Each structure stands twice: as C-alpha cells, then as structure tokens.
Amino acid sequence: ARGDYTAAKAAIDRASAMRNGDAYTMYYDAILMLRRNVGPEKAIARFDQAILAGLPRDEIGEFAAELYQAGFLLHAIAIRAKYPD
C-alpha cells in the first residue's frame, strides 16, 4: 500500500545535502518518486543519474520491478533494454 512519504522525502533531501552525488541516495529518490506518483520520466532520469554516479548494476532489475509494480510495464522493459546484463 502506498503511504505518506513526506518523512521519507525529507530524509532523502537531508541525505542529498550531506552526500551530494551519492548513488544510493539518488536511487532511493527515484524509487520514492515512483511511489509518490511523480511520474516515470522523472524517476528514470534520477535513476540514470544514480547509474552514472556508480550505482551497482544489480539494482537495475530492482528498479525495473519498481516500475512494473507502479504500473509502468513499458518503462520497465525500456530500462532493462537500456541497461542490459
């Protein structure tokens, strides 16, 4: 179930301020964007930033699963195609 993500967003914002450019902070921000219904394009752009910052490729499948669970099947397929194993 989707909940109130205000506290999570505040924590990510604090972490971003403290560890600017941290791959996992960007990754969790991308997931939170999906859960907050910000839109897949913005979440994918943030995920791309996380990958560029050194996010382990193991997380690609997890992010694709998040996209699928959020109802963005075609976006999930596109992420898997963009970042093949």
Side-chain angles (χ1 to χ4, degrees):
R2 308 270 186 224
D4 178 13
Y5 296 107
T6 305
K9 179 61 178 151
I12 287 173
D13 289 346
R14 284 191 305 275
S16 292
M18 291 172 28
R19 301 182 71 194
N20 189 26
D22 178 67
Y24 271 102
T25 301
M26 289 184 247
Y27 171 66
Y28 289 119
D29 193 24
I31 290 173
L32 186 60
M33 287 178 178
L34 287 174
R35 294 186 181 180
R36 293 174 58 224
N37 298 314
V38 172
E41 291 80 11
K42 289 183 180 182
I44 290 169
R46 191 65 166 152
F47 180 76
D48 290 340
Q49 291 174 338
I51 289 289
L52 289 174
L55 184 73
R57 295 185 66 82
D58 296 352
E59 303 297 352
I60 295 167
E62 294 298 320
F63 186 69
E66 289 283 341
L67 284 163
Y68 175 77
Q69 289 174 348
F72 302 111
L73 174 61
L74 295 179
H75 289 83
I77 293 168
I79 281 290
R80 295 300 278 165
K82 184 176 185 175
Y83 300 108
D85 292 336

